[in-house]
Amino acid sequence: MEDRLGMGSRWRVAILLLALTILTVPILVGYVWILISTFSQRTYGLIPVDASGQVGGLTLRNWSFLWEDPNIWKVSLNSLILAIGLTIGVVVVSSMAGYALSRIGFPGRRVFLGTTLVLHAFPSVTLLIAIFFVLRWIARIPVLGRELPLIGGFGYNTLGGVILVMLALQLPLGIWLMKGFFDHVSWDIERAALIDGCSRWRTWWQIILPQIRPGIAALAIFSFISGWNEFLIPYTYITDQQQSTIAAYLNKLLSDTAPVNYSQVAAVGLFQLIPVMLFFLFTQEYLLSIFAGGTKGGS
Amino acid sequence: MKVKLENLTKRWGHVYAAHDINLEINDGEFVAFLGPSGCGKTTTLLLIAGIYKPTAGRILFDERVMNQVPPKNRNIGMVFQSYALYPHMTVYENLVFPMKLKRTPPAVMKERARRVAEMLGIGQLLDRRPGQLSGGQQQRVALGRALTKQPDLLLFDEPLSNLDARLRLSMRAEIKRLQMDLGITAIYVTHDQVEAMTMADRVAVMKDGRLQAYCPPDELYDRPRTLFIAGFVGNPPMNFLEVEVVQRDGVYHALRAGFDLPLSAERGKQAAGRGSVILGVRPEDVMIAEEGITGEVYVVEPLGRDDLIDVRIGDVHVHALADPNRRCRVGDRVHLRFNTQKIQLFDPKTEQSLLWT
């Protein structure tokens, strides 16, 4: 009896695994193809071939942009600045706004919550023209407009401007996410901190924020990845090659007048994926640890 | 430190969480706020802590008005029902956190934390995190955290509710002893009347945001001023019967169908001629006897030391405590004798006692 049950469940697991494998294969094949094609002159299915159609033709030619095109490092750095700037902005503003919306009763709170949700659902493409005018106006502000180091400023044709726009579009989600996490922190802990001698500000920083570290990590991952991968907004508002990002660089490869070298496109795409994978690997571990091995509190 | 509440009121919209509360707590006194959930006792406590701001009235510590003073400057220690320990800090860090904020010198901090930890028996837990402790241990740490800063006032918000019964009993005694030794003024919020009665020097009974009584526990028990207090304090709870008190041949009788109880003259005369009144008597003042009012045993609940007997008299039920050796059985006809010195009488409309004001 027990044996048969065991057999039955083993069969069930086997069938389940088989089904999952079949469903996963198309996705896996895609990745495998990208990997193979970046090291091949051409591919025939998953098999690398050379120009005359013979099996072989392995090459590093497709990766040559790494050492031949100095632009790739510039646009990578720009993407990194964009992703990090966006992450910092989203985390800082969301964690403060989320706390206020979760904990403090002020006039207009409900309206604010409702509006942010609507804004989140709003398609950003429709705003492109309007934002263009805003950014052009900002660009005319001295210093802040286009004379800041690293991000270039907050105006049109600067990384800072793109960060600003993306920040605005990301915030509704971030604020709601953070509010949800703050809602789950017990009031008693906050009260205890206030009674123990913390100011409201210090309570937020030293007592409440450590409780929602997993939430902050999740938000940071989302923001970083969307900043790193974003195409539309940097492509629209940055015309200067020196300010461009990696997604726009990838697009340039596709739309040049010369025939498209898909193997090179795949190589750049893979290259773009590396930091995201690394970032995800580290933060994911963080996410899972939650509190068991959290860092030390106090000052 | 003395604490004084003057006409203290807190309103949320149209609901009064605390309504015109006046009371004074002496230096070193242990006061319990007692009431059912939602009666406003925790709100009052948080008003005293400074977490909430009063809608009206004043809070005074000694002679100083505290209404606008933020919680961190009130020098109070508070213990919460949920313990409210900081999960990301070790026990030691939890204990010293309030002192750190007060910029206590590190040596003093270490010494005080060590002493408090020893006093509470948590010395071996200092490196652990709250999540790795049992409920009882967490409660001790919470108590320790409230004590290390050497507060002028200790606030307890149902601190024992989450502990199991046995632990609750020992912690009860421990907290009382600790408070006595340290001589810190303490306010203890609870819905458990046993806790309030056993621990407090004085008990403030609250209902619907209003202070119902503020007096020592024995007075609360022996001379309840309202029907609510009479019913809330004491376990098993007091019996209530609707009766009419009449004078016959110079003796006062409490009467209802199948029920005739002679009352003492001093009690009887307060209720005579008022029509229907409510008579209250505690189960321990009702005895199974050879003669007296006749009834039928409806339910027997063995409590160990006593049996709680539910006796039906006509259409009402009266609970009596009886010696288990009597072996009362369901359906038995029994006679009840009442300790007439302990009878309470209440006005059914105002719910005020007719005996005590």
Side-chain angles (χ1 to χ4, degrees):
Chain A
M1 186 70 188
E2 217 175 279
D3 231 347
R4 275 183 57 194
L5 249 176
M7 287 292 279
S9 67
R10 213 172 299 158
W11 272 111
R12 198 177 297 166
V13 170
I15 291 168
L16 218 64
L17 280 176
L18 190 70
L20 287 174
T21 311
I22 292 170
L23 285 173
T24 320
V25 161
I27 305 167
L28 275 179
V29 166
Y31 281 106
V32 171
W33 179 83
I34 288 180
L35 197 65
I36 293 172
S37 75
T38 61
F39 293 106
S40 321
Q41 290 175 4
R42 294 172 179 196
T43 54
Y44 181 75
L46 288 177
I47 303 160
V49 291
D50 60 18
S52 55
Q54 300 295 314
V55 174
L58 289 174
T59 173
L60 282 176
R61 185 80 211 120
N62 299 317
W63 289 91
S64 66
F65 66 92
L66 287 179
W67 53 87
E68 282 176 0
D69 186 359
N71 249 341
I72 183 71
W73 298 107
K74 181 69 189 153
V75 295
S76 300
L77 181 67
N78 286 341
S79 275
L80 195 67
I81 292 170
L82 169 59
I84 290 174
L86 181 67
T87 304
I88 293 172
V90 168
V91 167
V92 168
V93 179
S94 302
S95 58
M96 288 204 239
Y99 176 79
L101 288 167
S102 165
R103 289 299 213 244
I104 303 171
F106 53 88
R109 179 175 165 273
R110 292 185 74 87
V111 178
F112 190 92
L113 276 173
T115 327
T116 38
L117 206 60
V118 173
L119 280 180
H120 179 54
F122 207 81
S124 51
V125 187
T126 55
L127 294 170
L128 286 179
I129 308 288
I131 291 171
F132 169 70
F133 285 112
V134 174
L135 287 180
R136 262 216 335 208
W137 185 83
I138 293 176
R140 290 208 299 271
I141 301 173
V143 186
L144 268 187
R146 23 194 351 162
E147 287 143 58
L148 290 178
L150 211 59
I151 56 167
F154 289 108
Y156 178 66
N157 208 3
T158 64
L159 270 176
V162 171
I163 292 175
L164 199 66
V165 174
M166 286 201 65
L167 180 61
L169 295 172
Q170 295 267 314
L171 274 182
L173 176 74
I175 289 172
W176 268 87
L177 197 75
M178 283 294 106
K179 180 192 172 291
F181 276 100
F182 281 119
D183 283 346
H184 282 104
V185 177
S186 102
W187 277 96
D188 277 355
I189 283 184
E190 189 163 359
R191 287 170 182 157
L194 287 172
I195 289 169
D196 278 348
C198 290
S199 59
R200 197 83 196 239
W201 186 258
R202 192 172 188 141
T203 305
W204 172 78
W205 174 248
Q206 252 181 25
I207 303 297
I208 308 295
L209 275 192
Q211 313 302 320
I212 61 161
R213 232 183 259 143
I216 293 176
L219 184 60
I221 295 169
F222 287 136
S223 309
F224 184 89
I225 292 176
S226 57
W228 179 264
N229 287 340
E230 177 68 21
F231 166 68
L232 183 65
I233 292 170
Y235 180 70
T236 313
Y237 297 125
I238 295 179
T239 49
D240 183 355
Q241 268 305 310
Q242 288 300 305
Q243 298 283 318
S244 185
T245 65
I246 196 163
Y249 180 89
L250 195 60
N251 183 61
K252 195 164 63 80
L253 291 180
L254 285 168
S255 56
D256 265 354
T257 41
V260 178
N261 179 352
Y262 278 104
S263 295
Q264 195 191 357
V265 171
V268 175
L270 213 58
F271 175 73
Q272 185 188 5
L273 202 65
I274 292 167
V276 176
M277 297 277 268
L278 284 179
F279 191 72
F280 192 76
L281 262 176
F282 287 117
T283 43
Q284 192 208 29
E285 196 179 340
Y286 201 113
L287 274 181
L288 291 176
S289 77
I290 313 232
F291 287 129
T295 52
K296 281 173 77 162
S299 52
Chain B
M1 192 181 64
K2 259 168 47 184
V3 177
K4 194 174 173 192
L5 309 181
E6 285 180 358
N7 309 98
L8 188 65
T9 300
K10 178 69 186 177
R11 212 180 55 208
W12 305 107
H14 296 291
V15 182
Y16 284 90
H19 202 162
D20 209 15
I21 290 172
N22 285 288
L23 62 80
E24 231 182 299
I25 299 163
N26 295 323
D27 184 35
E29 200 174 9
F30 195 122
V31 168
F33 287 180
L34 175 66
S37 36
C39 73
K41 54 194 192 301
T42 298
T43 305
T44 310
L45 197 73
L46 291 175
L47 283 167
I48 295 170
I51 301 292
Y52 296 152
K53 297 261 180 302
T55 311
R58 298 202 299 173
I59 298 163
L60 292 101
F61 286 3
D62 285 329
E63 299 310 318
R64 191 168 160 222
V65 180
M66 302 303 281
N67 285 29
Q68 296 305 321
V69 179
K72 64 181 184 129
N73 297 337
R74 297 192 181 200
N75 197 27
I76 46 188
M78 185 155 173
V79 182
F80 294 85
Q81 179 179 356
S82 63
Y83 318 132
L85 296 173
Y86 309 127
H88 57 299
M89 301 186 192
T90 64
V91 168
Y92 178 77
E93 285 165 333
N94 265 283
L95 288 178
V96 299
F97 187 66
M99 292 190 281
K100 247 184 204 166
L101 296 172
K102 281 167 99 182
R103 303 192 192 289
T104 313
V108 178
M109 214 154 73
K110 219 168 177 172
E111 169 57 21
R112 268 201 232 160
R114 195 190 58 75
R115 230 180 29 232
V116 166
E118 208 165 275
M119 189 162 70
L120 293 167
I122 48 174
Q124 74 286 4
L125 306 173
L126 290 179
D127 296 328
R128 304 233 198 130
R129 279 175 202 283
Q132 301 166 303
L133 303 180
S134 71
Q137 290 169 329
Q138 288 190 37
Q139 187 59 80
R140 279 164 194 275
V141 177
L143 188 57
R145 187 181 61 186
L147 289 174
T148 50
K149 62 190 314 201
Q150 305 193 324
D152 296 324
L153 175 64
L154 270 174
L155 304 178
F156 297 91
D157 185 8
E158 312 223 7
L160 305 182
S161 301
N162 287 355
L163 300 180
D164 64 66
R166 180 187 285 267
L167 202 54
R168 203 178 308 162
L169 224 66
S170 65
M171 279 302 277
R172 202 164 81 191
E174 222 168 306
I175 290 178
K176 182 171 177 160
R177 180 70 215 204
L178 213 60
Q179 189 269 344
M180 236 159 66
D181 288 348
L182 300 172
I184 305 171
T185 314
I187 303 176
Y188 190 102
V189 161
T190 178
H191 65 264
D192 180 349
Q193 44 104 10
V194 180
E195 263 174 35
M197 302 284 282
T198 51
M199 298 173 82
D201 299 320
R202 279 196 281 179
V203 180
V205 182
M206 292 184 66
K207 187 198 175 196
D208 301 333
R210 285 177 190 274
L211 190 62
Q212 293 260 322
Y214 183 42
C215 56
D218 51 345
E219 195 182 320
L220 208 60
Y221 193 77
D222 293 331
R223 292 190 277 168
R225 296 220 318 260
T226 67
L227 195 62
F228 171 75
I229 297 171
F232 194 71
V233 173
N235 188 29
M238 193 182 270
N239 296 297
F240 294 115
L241 305 165
E242 212 166 291
V243 297
E244 195 167 334
V245 178
V246 295
Q247 194 181 15
R248 248 184 349 218
D249 312 325
V251 181
Y252 292 95
H253 292 262
L255 296 176
R256 62 175 290 134
F259 184 95
D260 181 348
L261 180 68
L263 297 177
S264 67
E266 48 168 336
R267 298 199 179 210
K269 71 170 183 255
Q270 305 290 338
R274 281 175 167 272
S276 172
V277 297
I278 292 172
L279 178 145
V281 62
R282 295 191 187 280
E284 63 259 39
D285 297 320
V286 183
M287 285 137 290
I288 309 270
E290 301 313 318
E291 55 182 6
I293 292 162
T294 324
E296 183 193 311
V297 175
Y298 189 70
V299 175
V300 178
E301 295 175 45
L303 300 178
R305 199 182 53 187
D306 303 296
D307 281 354
L308 182 64
I309 317 273
D310 182 332
V311 179
R312 201 175 57 170
I313 306 169
D315 55 351
V316 291
H317 292 256
V318 172
H319 288 93
L321 284 179
D323 188 340
N325 293 325
R326 280 197 89 94
R327 305 205 178 282
C328 289
R329 265 194 296 259
V330 174
D332 286 356
R333 288 193 74 72
V334 291
H335 300 282
L336 296 179
R337 202 157 59 77
F338 291 75
N339 180 352
T340 50
Q341 289 310 305
K342 297 286 182 71
I343 297 282
Q344 308 291 337
L345 293 164
F346 300 94
D347 185 315
K349 283 199 193 64
T350 63
E351 303 196 344
Q352 300 289 314
S353 173
L354 297 170
L355 307 176
W356 331 105
T357 48

